[in-house]
Amino acid sequence: MSVRGSFRRHRFTGPAVALSAALALAAALSACSGDGPPEKAYTVPGSLCGIAVEPALVKAVLPGGDSLTSATQKPNGGTIRCNLFVDDKLVLSLAQAWWSEGKATAAVSPAYPGTKDGTISEDERFVYSGQAGVGRTLPSCKVSEHPEQDLYTAVETRDSGIDDPAAIEKLLVAYTKAVEGSPACR
């Protein structure tokens, strides 16, 4: 007997069989795709655009993907942005921006839309939500290029699906402290 002869062809008809086949296919596909978020297969470096930041804090606010790249952007004379891309899609921006001296963080945060309805820290230096945050560096952060200005930091997710206020707050505070210890404040 040939191998071909050992199989019988079955022809299934009717809505009950079609529905059963569709449900079985859907179950198989969902089992293959997994229920969890996509894996973060990339490595986050310890320094992003010249600022040392704990990689785990950065990774906590990034989506899954295979590759991570960064690029520095200077849109004006007082702002430096470090843009992070996962699989070539902009997902996170870390920024340093000089603003008029004496402005409250709550007055600066509306320039960063993701901070709307954000939480203000007890010391009023930080405003953050699940997608973005703004921090004010210490008053001792002064440079001759920006007299009578204060340096603020910002962390903004970009269409990444991240909504984690605790992770944004941790990254924002760490990034602000790292900026305070960098040449940006000397």
Side-chain angles (χ1 to χ4, degrees):
M1 174 184 263
S2 73
V3 174
R4 183 177 183 142
S6 64
F7 294 99
R8 291 187 179 167
R9 290 187 183 195
H10 295 281
R11 186 172 160 176
F12 297 103
T13 58
V17 173
L19 179 60
S20 295
L23 289 174
L25 178 61
L29 289 175
S30 68
C32 291
S33 66
D35 292 335
E39 181 182 348
K40 298 177 183 182
Y42 48 80
T43 300
V44 177
S47 178
L48 296 170
C49 304
I51 302 295
V53 183
E54 175 64 39
L57 296 176
V58 177
K59 203 168 196 175
V61 300
L62 294 176
D66 294 320
S67 68
L68 176 71
T69 56
S70 66
T72 302
Q73 179 184 26
K74 297 180 180 181
N76 59 49
T79 302
I80 298 173
R81 265 194 208 108
C82 183
N83 293 320
L84 278 66
F85 301 83
V86 170
D87 298 338
D88 298 322
K89 178 183 174 192
L90 177 62
V91 294
L92 182 68
S93 187
L94 304 171
Q96 303 166 39
W98 292 94
W99 287 74
S100 298
E101 192 172 46
K103 281 197 174 279
T105 306
V108 172
S109 66
Y112 302 90
T115 62
K116 184 179 180 190
D117 299 324
T119 300
I120 299 174
S121 65
E122 194 172 303
D123 63 4
E124 299 182 356
R125 284 183 58 201
F126 303 97
V127 174
Y128 59 91
S129 71
Q131 298 86 34
V134 175
R136 186 181 71 232
T137 61
L138 293 171
S140 60
C141 181
K142 297 290 179 192
V143 296
S144 60
E145 295 88 4
H146 298 283
E148 300 179 23
Q149 290 186 316
D150 291 327
L151 183 59
Y152 290 81
T153 60
V155 172
E156 297 177 275
T157 60
R158 308 290 178 118
D159 295 327
S160 63
I162 302 297
D163 189 358
D164 189 341
I168 293 290
E169 178 189 22
K170 287 177 187 174
L171 176 58
L172 176 64
V173 170
Y175 181 66
T176 303
K177 289 180 180 181
V179 168
E180 289 169 344
S182 77
C185 282
R186 295 185 213 134

